[in-house]
């Protein structure tokens, strides 16, 4: 599986801890198989892991779960675009944007 496949699968799944768990597992596998992008994968892994730890045993409102999924998808697609550029500077800029955006967000994961 590659990052694009992981994004597509996540986008197609219902929002909730199961879909975030699959992102967590997928990015962990990608860290091992694509070391060049280990940092960005670890960033996404951390968000997915946090969501699972915070909400796996809780009833979550559908709107909340959808908002979290939308935010993580935005981060994943931002990284995917940077990967396509092939530029380390673009990847770093995408990671920085994600961290800053997350800091200004509701920090739901």
């Amino acid at each position: 599986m590659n990052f694009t496949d992981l994004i597509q699968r996540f986008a197609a799944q219902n929002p909730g801890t199961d879909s975030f768990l699959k992102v967590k597992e997928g990015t962990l596998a990608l860290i091992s198989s694509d070391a060049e992008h280990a940092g960005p994968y670890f960033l996404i892994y951390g968000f997915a892991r946090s969501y699972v730890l915070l909400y796996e045993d809780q009833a979550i409102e559908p709107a909340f779960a959808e908002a979290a999924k939308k935010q993580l998808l935005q981060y994943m697609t931002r990284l995917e675009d940077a990967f396509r550029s092939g530029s380390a500077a673009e990847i770093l800029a995408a990671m920085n944007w994600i961290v800053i955006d997350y800091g200004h967000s509701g920090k739901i994961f």
Side-chain angles (χ1 to χ4, degrees):
M1 174 185 352
N2 62 38
F3 195 55
T4 300
D5 293 338
L6 184 62
I7 293 169
Q8 291 171 348
R9 289 178 186 174
F10 183 54
Q13 294 171 349
N14 290 326
T17 54
D18 288 344
S19 61
F20 278 79
L21 181 61
K22 289 177 183 170
V23 170
K24 177 185 158 236
E25 293 167 351
T27 50
L28 192 58
L30 287 168
I31 289 168
S32 298
S33 66
D34 182 12
E36 180 182 355
H37 298 118
Y41 296 144
F42 188 74
L43 184 61
I44 299 301
Y45 165 84
F47 290 141
R49 180 182 178 274
S50 292
Y51 187 92
V52 171
L53 289 174
L54 289 169
Y55 306 115
E56 70 182 333
D57 294 330
Q58 297 183 29
I60 300 297
E61 293 292 324
F64 179 86
E66 188 60 47
K69 178 181 174 182
K70 180 180 177 183
Q71 185 175 0
L72 189 60
L73 272 172
Q74 180 183 20
Y75 295 165
M76 293 171 79
T77 55
R78 181 80 182 238
L79 287 172
E80 182 183 37
D81 291 343
F83 293 164
R84 283 190 192 132
S85 77
S87 165
E90 289 288 328
I91 295 169
L92 180 59
M95 290 177 65
N96 287 337
W97 180 88
I98 289 166
V99 169
I100 291 167
D101 184 76
Y102 178 75
H104 291 108
S105 74
K107 299 179 185 170
I108 57 180
F109 41 72

